[in-house]
Each structure stands twice: as structure tokens, then as C-alpha cells.
Amino acid sequence: SITFWSGAYFLWQTAQNPTRALLYVRLLSIGSVFIPSMFLYFILSFLHKQKNYQKLIASSLGLSVCFTLFSFTRAFIPMIEPKLGFRFWPVAGFLYSVFLCFFFACISFAVYLLARASRDKTQSEYRLRQIRYVLMASLVGFIGGSTNYPLWYNVLIPPVLNFFVGLHVLILAYAIIKYRLLDIRVAITRTMIFVTVYAFVLGIPFILATSGKAWLIKTYGVLWWLSPLVLMAFLGTTGPFVYLFLKNRAEAILLRKQRKYQAALKQASVDLTRIRNLQNLLDFIARTLSDSVQITHTAIYFFDAKKNEFILQSGVNLPPKQPQSIAIDSPLVSYLNQSHDALVLNEFKRIEEESGNKSYRKLENVLNGLSADMVIPCFLENKLLDIFILGEKISGQIYSQEDIDHFLVLAQETALATENAQLYEKIENEVKERTQELVETQKQLVHAEKLATVGTLAGGVAHEINNPLAAIMTNVQMLLAGDELDRESLEMIEEATKRCKTIVQKLMTFSQKPMANTMMYQIDLLDVIRHTVDFLKFQLEQENITLEVKADKKSYPARANHDELGQVVTNIVLNAKDAIKQIKKSGTVYITISENETQTMISIKDEGTGIPKTILNRIFDPFYTTKEVGKGLGLGLSISQTIIEKHKGKILVESQVDKGSTFIIQLPKFKQQSKNSEALK
């Protein structure tokens, strides 16, 4: 817009007659009415605030279009006349005064936003320099351009600072080149497209108004000027759409690679939340940065709280002498904590040269030691968690501001994902520790229940051992009284001793602590029941309780642990004995084993007191017992249920008060495997 204004200004000042001068002034107005809205849009975009002011941008552009439509009317510029040495100078109409209010409102608001942003200490030093250059260029340009307006209102002040407008453009060009104000390739492309489109939009009406004026006057009379004005309005309306279409197509081609890796970075930001392992997370980020952006090398340093330094956690194509850590008091860490922004080596060197700050030299040495062309900090609530070290682009292109914006978004997501990964690993470790503690506690409870059962059996076992010991003593006394050895007595002693040994071994086997990892083997469930019955038979007979085992087959194979299932059967049988003794002096416990297509069932039925329905759903709760104090821990059924569930089975109970209870153990039926599959296993 400024370029168009400047070109029309030159034509106006070199015009040889008032008619031609008035035409050029009205064309000049078309450029001037768009300067405030375009400048406001530029500043809002530059400060990344355009999304917050979309209605303001649309309104200002709409007003510029309206002023354009009236720029060829007498309400905007009624006439021209000589002023202060100028042969042709315009007189302002009342609509032109409205336009000037609009002009200074847009410019003042944009400059206010720039001034406020230039004092924002949260911005990096490099970004602040960019903002200050734009602010300086804006003040220079608009102070210079404003000296044109007094003469419109017959205030005799010449436009002596017009050259400041050109200086404004030069300052922006300098900032673009030196401080990467925007991608120069994109800027040039957009400018060329804009100039081409609007040369067409404004050129056709201009040619029509100059070369075809005679024909227009002959055809339309005194209103001849409406034709180029309407044509200009039509082309001015369609021009922005043509410009946007061509601009987007050109940028899609020019920035194809850049858009591609920016899309990859956006997708990576989404994928980060799915990775819970910290090392896998950082490896994924390093690979994504290196592969998508095509960087010579990438390193990620992660803050290790235990070592209180940043540790090299992941990297791609790292140089041989890449440092393994960054100290917490490093100049780089201090700078990042202060700026909270990306750090580009080349830009930092310029700042160092301009400022002459010697402390920056140490930071530059750190950057060179890290082989860093760019450093991206990853902050979470003002806490620096990770540092990205990026090498140069393989293509040799510089990092644009748009690149840095995408990197900072990825860095923010990385910090959050890093925190979550650490938290997840911490929780996972705590769960493992708690699980191990629970396993140990459960083993202790199982052992305690076994010891309690041993205590219950102790009296019967002692009585059972007493009989063979009496036989031993009797035969020993007979041998001592006689003169010759009696072979029959020795055999009786041997048999009685073996019986004692067997009884003691069974008791010791039952009472031993569970193994850390209880193994499962192919066993015979009927064999488990017979061993348990042999172990308990004498004890129960002393209390007039008999055991009856019923099985239709000779073998019931299962994959299980012999000792654990023996403990389950023992617990239930002893509970059945206690239930019977509460209402009878004698009784029978029936143990039945059967199977169907999928399960093997062990049924243990008693004729005891039964279990009331009110407590039936509580009998498997730990430490719940209906026995007298000192006669049970309340763990037998709870542990039995845990063991059966571990074997992927179920334990059910049916009971009626004063008629007895039936406990049913359901276990998965053992599936025979072929020899080949067993060998492979």
C-alpha cells in the first residue's frame, strides 16, 4: 500500500495539468486508505495476536474498502489548488476527515501494542530487538508521512519529512535480513504476487480513465468517471481473493518441505501422550526432529534430580565429543531460565557483537562445545525439564520464526509428557514394591495359618506317635530282658520307627513356609486328596469323625501345586470337623471328586451346624471367624480362596443351618499336549 501511495505521489507531483493531478491524487488515496488497516493487520500478525482481534481486522479492512469506493467523489477530495509553492495540492472533503480519524486510530493502537510488547521481559532479547526495530520503523515512517496532511487543511507546513517513509521501508528490510523478522523468500514471493495482482486491479481502471476518457465522455457524458470507479470496485473486490489463492499456491510450493515437517511436529506433539516410558519418549522426539526437519544431529538433555544436572539421555548422529551432561550452574541453563525462549547461535553472536557483553562469550563457548546451532528449552510451570540441542539444517537454510514457534510447542508438550512418564515410572515402581510386600505378607499369613493348623493337629499327632513309641519301648524292654536277639521284635521296632518318621515328615511338610515362586506341575488331584486323608485320618478318628472318599476314575490330572491344594483340602476338612462337633459327637466328611468337559470338581460335604445366610458372604473375608477366641485366625478360607483363584479356579459353598455345608472346588481340566508341543515348551 505504501509503495502504491509513493508511486501515485510521484505521478501527482510531476503532473502537468490539474485534471491529471486530481486523478493521480485520487489514485493515491486508494493506497493511503489501505495503509492503516494493512499496518494494523501486519502488527497483530507479527505479535501473534491476530486471533484475538479478528473482528477488528475485518472491520478495518471493510472501512478501507468503503473509503476506496468514495475516493473518486467530491465528498472525499472536492478539488485541487496551489498551496505553499505546490501547483496542485488537494483540498480535504468531509469524508477525508473521517478517514484521517480512522487512520490515526489504527496507527496509534498498533504502535501502542508494539510499545507494550517492547517492554515485555518474558520475551527473549532477540525477539525484543525484532519488536523494537518494527516500532522504530513505524514511528519513523508515520511521523514522516503525517507531515503531508496539514496542507490539506490549509495549515502551511510543508511535507519536509516525506523521505522518512522510504526510511521506514529500509529499516524493516534491515530487520528482515539481520533479525529474521520473516522468511525473506516468502516476503519476496508475496510482494511479487501482490504487485502483479494489484497492478492488474488498478492498472485497467487507470488505463480506461486516461486512454479511454474521450470514448467514456462520448458514451456516458459528465458521469464518465463512474465507469472506471465501478470497474475498480469490482476488481478491488475480487482482487483479494485472487491474491490469497495465488499466495497460498506459491507458498505451498515454496515451503513444501517446511510445511511437511511442521505437520510431522504437530503430529508428534499428539503422539507424545501415548508413550509412557521416559527413554522411549525422548528417543522418539530425537528421531522425529532429526528425520522430519533434516538436521545434522540432535541431542536431548534430561534433568536428573538425583545428580542435579542435565544428562544426555538421547541423540541422533551425535558428534564424537558430545558432552554427557550440562551442569545446573552452566551459563546456558541460567540463560534459558531467564529467557524461557529458543536460542539460535548465529543470532546470539550478533547480540554479543552489538552489546559487547563479555559474559556472553562464556555462553557462546558452551554452545560451541555442545555443537548447538539452536537450543530449545522445555519448561513446565517455570521448571526446566529438558533441553533440545539441534544442529544445522542439512539444506543449509536458516531456522525461521515459524520453525521456532513449532519447536516451542513441541517442547511444551515434551515437558508435560516427560513429567507424566516420570510419574508413571514412579507409580509403576511403587506398585511393584507394594506388590512384593503384599506377596511377602500373604506368605507370612499362609505360614501362620499352617502353624495354627499344626497347633490344632498337635494333640492328635502326639497321640498317634505315642502308639508306635509304646510298641518300641515294649520290644526294647523284652530284648533287654532276654539273652538272644528276637528278629520279630526288631522288625516291629523298625516298622514303628518308620511310622513315627512318616508322621513327623507329613507334619513338617505341611508346616513349611511357601516358596517365593510356587511352581505348578502336572499332578493327580486324587493323589492330593489321598495324601491329605492319610495325614488327617488318625486325628479325626480320635474325635469320632470319619472320612469317605468317592472317585469314579483312578486319576484326575491337573496342572497345580500339590502342597497348596493339600492345604486347601486340609483347611476345609478341619472346618467340617469343627462344624460337626458343634452339634454331634460323631459324623462323616464326604469327599467326592468328579469332572466334566472343562472342569474338575472336588466336593467336601459335612453333617455339621451349617452356615447362616446372614454371614455366608463373609466367610472368605480375612480374619473373619465364628470359632472361639484362640481356636482360629480366620485366615483358612481366605487363603484357600486365594490359592484356588491363583489356580484359575473357583471355590463355592452351599449350606443349610443344622444340616451341614458343602464346599465345591472347581479347577480347570488339564488338557493333554502332544509330545511335539510339550517338547517345544
Side-chain angles (χ1 to χ4, degrees):
S1 294
I2 291 174
T3 302
F4 183 81
W5 175 86
S6 301
Y9 196 101
F10 173 78
L11 294 174
W12 158 36
Q13 294 299 323
T14 57
Q16 299 300 315
N17 61 73
T19 303
R20 187 61 59 89
L22 180 60
L23 176 62
Y24 291 141
V25 168
R26 285 174 170 164
L27 288 175
L28 170 147
S29 298
I30 296 173
S32 64
V33 296
F34 276 100
I35 288 175
S37 56
M38 292 292 185
F39 178 72
L40 178 62
Y41 182 39
F42 165 65
I43 296 303
L44 290 173
S45 300
F46 172 65
L47 298 176
H48 307 296
K49 295 181 180 292
Q50 68 270 31
K51 292 184 179 179
N52 300 332
Y53 293 95
Q54 289 181 349
K55 292 182 179 179
L56 178 62
I57 293 170
S59 300
S60 65
L61 289 172
L63 285 172
S64 293
V65 172
C66 291
F67 286 126
T68 301
L69 297 176
F70 288 99
S71 62
F72 273 71
T73 66
R74 293 180 62 83
F76 203 80
I77 304 173
M79 58 185 292
I80 59 172
E81 60 185 19
K83 289 184 182 180
L84 201 66
F86 293 94
R87 288 193 301 165
F88 311 114
W89 198 269
V91 175
F94 76 93
L95 277 182
Y96 192 83
S97 300
V98 176
F99 159 70
L100 280 187
C101 294
F102 164 69
F103 184 96
F104 284 105
C106 288
I107 301 304
S108 299
F109 182 63
V111 170
Y112 162 73
L113 292 177
L114 279 173
R116 191 173 66 175
S118 68
R119 297 190 301 270
D120 186 359
K121 297 303 181 182
T122 62
Q123 302 275 6
S124 69
E125 181 65 26
Y126 201 82
R127 177 63 174 167
L128 288 175
R129 286 173 182 265
Q130 289 181 332
I131 295 172
R132 288 163 186 166
Y133 267 102
V134 175
L135 176 60
M136 179 173 62
S138 302
L139 291 174
V140 167
F142 289 108
I143 288 173
S146 64
T147 59
N148 284 276
Y149 300 120
L151 269 181
W152 287 61
Y153 295 93
N154 296 319
V155 178
L156 302 180
I157 298 176
V160 293
L161 299 180
N162 255 349
F163 69 94
F164 274 20
V165 177
L167 189 59
H168 159 84
V169 178
L170 291 176
I171 293 172
L172 285 181
Y174 175 78
I176 288 172
I177 295 170
K178 187 167 184 179
Y179 289 99
R180 197 171 23 81
L181 191 60
L182 48 86
D183 192 326
I184 192 64
R185 298 174 303 154
V186 177
I188 292 174
T189 303
R190 288 176 179 172
T191 303
M192 293 301 296
I193 295 173
F194 185 87
V195 169
T196 302
V197 171
Y198 281 92
F200 177 78
V201 169
L202 302 176
I204 292 178
F206 176 76
I207 293 171
L208 180 64
T210 54
S211 301
K213 182 178 178 181
W215 177 80
L216 290 172
I217 293 174
K218 183 179 179 181
T219 306
Y220 298 104
V222 294
L223 297 177
W224 67 270
W225 54 271
L226 283 175
S227 295
L229 181 63
V230 172
L231 181 61
M232 182 180 292
F234 172 75
L235 294 176
T237 303
T238 58
F241 297 100
V242 175
Y243 166 71
L244 288 174
F245 173 76
L246 295 176
K247 177 182 76 71
N248 292 335
R249 290 296 300 166
E251 288 182 5
I253 298 171
L254 189 64
L255 304 176
R256 183 173 59 253
K257 290 184 178 180
Q258 187 172 332
R259 294 286 186 264
K260 185 177 180 181
Y261 73 67
Q262 287 174 356
L265 294 179
K266 285 183 180 179
Q267 184 59 43
S269 299
V270 176
D271 294 339
L272 292 182
T273 57
R274 304 173 186 173
I275 306 175
R276 296 178 177 176
N277 180 272
L278 180 61
Q279 186 61 53
N280 293 343
L281 172 70
L282 298 181
D283 288 344
F284 169 75
I285 297 168
R287 287 195 305 272
T288 300
L289 287 170
S290 181
D291 296 342
S292 60
V293 189
Q294 294 291 298
I295 303 174
T296 55
H297 61 275
T298 307
I300 298 180
Y301 288 82
F302 165 73
F303 180 66
D304 190 325
K306 293 181 179 178
K307 296 182 179 179
N308 199 33
E309 60 183 358
F310 289 87
I311 305 298
L312 178 60
Q313 196 75 19
S314 182
V316 176
N317 299 327
L318 294 177
K321 295 183 179 180
Q322 185 73 28
Q324 296 300 305
S325 63
I326 302 175
I328 194 68
D329 57 354
S330 165
L332 175 61
V333 176
S334 301
Y335 181 89
L336 294 177
N337 279 319
Q338 183 178 1
S339 68
H340 279 62
D341 201 1
L343 177 59
V344 182
L345 180 61
N346 291 335
E347 298 171 356
F348 181 76
K349 286 181 178 179
R350 292 195 189 103
I351 296 174
E352 180 188 349
E353 292 171 1
E354 293 177 4
S355 65
N357 192 333
K358 294 182 179 179
S359 62
Y360 285 168
R361 182 59 57 86
K362 294 181 180 179
L363 179 53
E364 183 184 347
N365 293 336
V366 173
L367 294 175
N368 291 329
L370 290 168
S371 303
D373 194 63
M374 175 183 284
V375 179
I376 304 291
C378 303
F379 281 95
L380 183 65
E381 296 180 353
N382 294 322
K383 181 181 179 182
L384 184 59
L385 296 181
D386 308 280
I387 301 175
F388 295 166
I389 303 296
L390 308 182
E392 297 178 351
K393 287 186 179 180
I394 296 176
S395 63
Q397 297 176 357
I398 66 170
Y399 289 104
S400 67
Q401 184 61 45
E402 198 173 3
D403 290 337
I404 295 176
D405 292 340
H406 280 82
F407 291 151
L408 290 174
V409 171
L410 178 64
Q412 187 175 5
E413 296 296 330
T414 299
L416 181 60
T418 300
E419 185 80 359
N420 290 339
Q422 286 182 285
L423 181 60
Y424 180 80
E425 288 187 357
K426 181 180 178 181
I427 293 174
E428 196 173 44
N429 291 333
E430 288 182 355
V431 168
K432 288 180 180 179
E433 292 175 2
R434 297 299 183 191
T435 302
Q436 187 61 35
E437 290 177 4
L438 288 173
V439 170
E440 293 297 326
T441 302
Q442 187 181 31
K443 286 193 292 184
Q444 293 174 7
L445 291 175
V446 170
H447 186 57
E449 175 62 21
K450 283 185 176 183
L451 294 179
T453 304
V454 170
T456 301
L457 298 173
V461 170
H463 187 70
E464 188 176 358
I465 293 176
N466 189 49
N467 289 340
L469 287 177
I472 292 171
M473 291 296 295
T474 301
N475 284 279
V476 168
Q477 289 174 0
M478 290 174 60
L479 290 172
L480 291 173
D483 294 332
E484 297 179 1
L485 292 176
D486 188 335
R487 182 175 181 83
E488 185 177 354
S489 295
L490 290 174
E491 290 176 351
M492 289 181 64
I493 291 172
E494 182 183 23
E495 182 181 351
T497 304
K498 287 180 179 180
R499 184 179 172 190
C500 289
K501 181 180 179 182
T502 300
I503 294 169
V504 172
Q505 284 179 338
K506 286 182 179 180
L507 192 63
M508 291 177 65
T509 300
F510 180 79
S511 63
Q512 68 183 359
K513 286 187 176 182
M515 299 289 289
N517 294 308
T518 308
M519 302 296 292
M520 295 189 184
Y521 306 93
Q522 181 180 344
I523 63 171
D524 182 5
L525 293 178
L526 184 57
D527 185 57
V528 173
I529 292 172
R530 285 172 177 163
H531 275 78
T532 305
V533 168
D534 289 342
F535 179 53
L536 299 174
K537 187 175 182 180
F538 185 84
Q539 164 75 15
L540 298 182
E541 286 177 352
Q542 302 304 309
E543 301 192 42
N544 298 317
I545 303 296
T546 58
L547 289 171
E548 288 190 9
V549 179
K550 181 180 179 182
D552 296 331
K553 295 171 61 177
K554 293 182 179 180
S555 176
Y556 292 85
R559 186 166 185 80
N561 183 271
H562 190 288
D563 293 338
E564 287 187 342
L565 290 184
Q567 183 179 354
V568 172
V569 175
T570 299
N571 287 337
I572 296 175
V573 169
L574 290 179
N575 284 344
K577 180 263 296 183
D578 292 337
I580 293 172
K581 295 297 289 182
Q582 287 183 23
I583 60 172
K584 298 180 181 180
K585 293 183 178 180
S586 63
T588 304
V589 177
Y590 303 93
I591 303 177
T592 305
I593 183 168
S594 60
E595 65 180 11
N596 57 27
E597 294 181 357
T598 59
Q599 293 178 327
T600 301
M601 286 81 70
I602 301 173
S603 173
I604 303 174
K605 180 180 179 182
D606 64 61
E607 302 169 336
T609 184
I611 305 171
K613 291 184 179 180
T614 55
I615 65 170
L616 196 61
N617 61 342
R618 297 182 60 193
I619 61 174
F620 292 104
D621 293 347
F623 302 105
Y624 180 79
T625 180
T626 59
K627 297 178 181 180
E628 297 178 9
V629 177
K631 292 191 175 182
L633 297 176
L635 290 172
L637 290 178
S638 175
I639 291 172
S640 298
Q641 185 183 50
T642 301
I643 292 173
I644 296 303
E645 288 177 351
K646 175 183 171 183
H647 285 72
K648 299 181 180 179
K650 294 181 180 179
I651 180 167
L652 310 174
V653 59
E654 299 172 356
S655 184
Q656 291 183 344
V657 177
D658 295 332
K659 290 186 178 181
S661 303
T662 303
F663 284 82
I664 302 169
I665 301 169
Q666 297 177 345
L667 295 170
K669 187 176 179 181
F670 180 74
K671 296 180 181 179
Q672 295 286 350
Q673 295 178 319
S674 66
K675 291 182 179 180
N676 291 337
S677 62
E678 188 67 31
L680 286 171
K681 186 175 182 182

